[in-house]
Amino acid sequence: MTEAPISTPPQAYMDIISSLIDKARGFLEVGERLQAMAFVGNLTTKAVIPVMIQPGSVEDKDQSARTIQSAALALEADFVFAIMEAWTLRPDKMRQMNAILDKYGSISASPYAIDTCSLMLETRHGVWAAQPQIKPKGISKKKRTIGVVEFRYFTETEGRFAHLLPKKEGDEPPTILH
């Protein structure tokens, strides 16, 4: 992904995904882990289909991506919103990412990993992503929470869980709408 400035998704999407973010925060705050999920939606019909993402093997992930694509096709979807727990490196260690991967084999196995909530909204107008840190809630060892969610707009994305929407006639390259 190409780094981008903070940019809130258009209100039509926020009206739908804000409650999903609040539900994810609620699960964390009662001590539960987040099940990786994609929400496939159509803005016209207001229909939203939840699709569980299997985070295990490469085959599981590939199957999850195909299931999301099938749901998006059936719904004539306008967006896919994915929520999952993830790890990232502390900001002060980003430049050393390759050395850390070489030494520890993965970010999660390194002592520099921080828990985050990965939020990604794919639309026909581009992708908005946020990765707020998951922090302990109070003194609890089980209860956790996320702070303010700041989305960034990206024009280029790659990977298994990118480009999940079906192509529609007249689709043009992404541009920010507001």
Side-chain angles (χ1 to χ4, degrees), residues 1-161:
M1 280 200 214
T2 308
E3 184 63 26
I6 292 173
S7 164
T8 304
Q11 194 59 46
Y13 300 106
M14 289 304 296
D15 289 345
I16 296 168
I17 69 171
S18 292
S19 66
L20 299 171
I21 295 168
D22 290 343
K23 282 183 182 148
R25 183 181 283 114
F27 284 128
L28 291 169
E29 290 181 352
V30 297
E32 294 184 33
R33 295 200 66 76
L34 294 181
Q35 164 62 53
M37 296 290 291
F39 298 89
V40 180
N42 181 306
L43 292 175
T44 306
T45 65
K46 303 288 188 232
V48 177
I49 298 174
V51 177
M52 197 178 295
I53 297 172
Q54 299 300 333
S57 68
V58 169
E59 293 80 15
D60 288 342
K61 291 175 190 171
D62 287 345
Q63 181 57 48
S64 294
R66 286 191 296 272
T67 303
I68 294 165
Q69 285 177 312
S70 295
L73 192 61
L75 203 59
E76 295 181 15
D78 299 303
F79 69 91
V80 174
F81 182 58
I83 300 176
M84 63 186 75
E85 287 193 42
W87 296 280
T88 190
L89 283 176
R90 295 187 336 224
D92 65 322
K93 296 293 181 185
M94 286 304 236
R95 290 193 171 153
Q96 299 157 357
M97 182 174 76
N98 290 336
I100 289 168
L101 288 172
D102 289 345
K103 182 173 182 178
Y104 297 100
S106 70
I107 291 171
S108 63
S110 83
Y112 311 112
I114 54 175
D115 287 335
T116 63
C117 179
S118 173
L119 306 167
M120 194 158 108
L121 173 67
E122 177 185 338
T123 74
R124 299 198 179 286
H125 310 290
V127 172
W128 283 264
Q131 211 169 25
Q133 186 173 352
I134 297 174
K135 297 182 174 178
K137 183 167 173 64
I139 58 170
S140 173
K141 295 232 187 286
K142 281 193 167 198
K143 295 179 182 177
R144 304 172 302 154
T145 192
I146 54 173
V148 176
V149 174
E150 292 182 332
F151 281 96
R152 294 186 182 275
Y153 177 77
F154 295 87
T155 54
E156 296 175 32
T157 57
E158 290 180 24
R160 170 184 295 111
F161 293 107

Side-chain angles (χ1 to χ4, degrees), residues 155-171:
T155 54
E156 296 175 32
T157 57
E158 290 180 24
R160 170 184 295 111
F161 293 107
H163 310 288
L164 297 170
L165 293 174
K167 296 279 182 254
K168 282 190 177 175
E169 251 185 72
D171 273 358

